[in-house]
Amino acid sequence: MKLTIQGFILSLAVSVLFGCGGTSPADPTAIATPVAINGEKYLLADEPDGAIGVIEARDSAKDGEPVVIVGRIGGAANPWIEGRAAFTLLDASMAMVAEGADNEEGEICLDDCCAEERGKCTTLVKVVDGDGKLVAADSRQLLGVSADDTVVVSGTASKDASGNFTVLAQGVFVRR
């Protein structure tokens, strides 16, 4: 019995250390890396006209309709979706303050007490390909953006029955 348990533990350890059937880097069906994806096709050379803020877009945009929004990358302690072309966008009229700090009009903190208020002035932006699928590359490398960068996003509004608002971006203009 003791030998059987030791054998099981050994085989479990080996499978954890060496994996069990993952895809190899040479596998053509493996997810594309940021190096394989040209981010220039998602960057807009000119700023789109008619951009509205995140707060206004949350109120007025209709599901499935085109939308152009402006905001700053942020609104969360970590605004990035690691390894994917998605980030949180904060309305340009709002400023983030440190956790525990008093916030004035137009400021919002990262504490749990401000979670509902943050939800009203932020949105998730997903950069999508021609088929509407999320691009499998980190936004920072794909678009050359950083937290607090002001961007204008051109895409499609996505709203669900629960009030979640996302922008499916076909193009991003980075204000420099």
Side-chain angles (χ1 to χ4, degrees):
M1 175 80 169
K2 191 173 185 181
L3 188 58
T4 306
I5 293 173
Q6 288 174 342
F8 173 76
I9 292 172
L10 180 61
S11 66
L12 181 63
V14 168
S15 66
V16 168
L17 286 174
F18 296 107
C20 52
T23 59
S24 70
D27 184 351
T29 62
I31 294 175
T33 62
V35 176
I37 299 174
N38 181 1
E40 290 180 20
K41 64 182 172 184
Y42 302 105
L43 287 169
L44 301 174
D46 298 312
E47 182 172 334
D49 293 329
I52 59 175
V54 175
I55 295 170
E56 183 179 346
R58 288 184 71 83
D59 292 338
S60 66
K62 305 235 183 304
D63 183 47
E65 291 188 357
V67 65
V68 177
I69 63 170
V70 61
R72 282 190 325 278
I73 296 174
N78 179 7
W80 312 107
I81 305 298
E82 299 295 326
R84 298 290 182 253
F87 53 88
T88 305
L89 193 66
L90 174 68
D91 191 273
S93 69
M94 301 298 289
M96 297 300 298
V97 296
E99 288 186 49
D102 292 333
N103 51 316
E104 305 291 324
E105 181 71 31
E107 295 180 330
I108 194 164
C109 69
L110 291 172
D111 290 334
D112 290 341
C113 62
C114 294
E116 186 175 333
E117 187 178 349
R118 259 193 329 276
K120 294 177 183 176
C121 61
T122 59
T123 188
L124 179 63
V125 173
K126 295 179 178 181
V127 180
V128 295
D129 63 18
D131 295 326
K133 294 183 180 168
L134 179 62
V135 176
D138 194 284
S139 303
R140 293 164 282 195
Q141 287 79 38
L142 183 74
L143 305 171
V145 292
S146 301
D148 293 325
D149 281 354
T150 299
V151 296
V152 180
V153 178
S154 177
T156 304
S158 176
K159 285 185 162 180
D160 66 19
S162 300
N164 295 312
F165 175 62
T166 303
V167 176
L168 306 176
Q170 286 85 35
V172 177
F173 177 81
V174 183
R175 287 187 181 168
R176 302 273 183 210

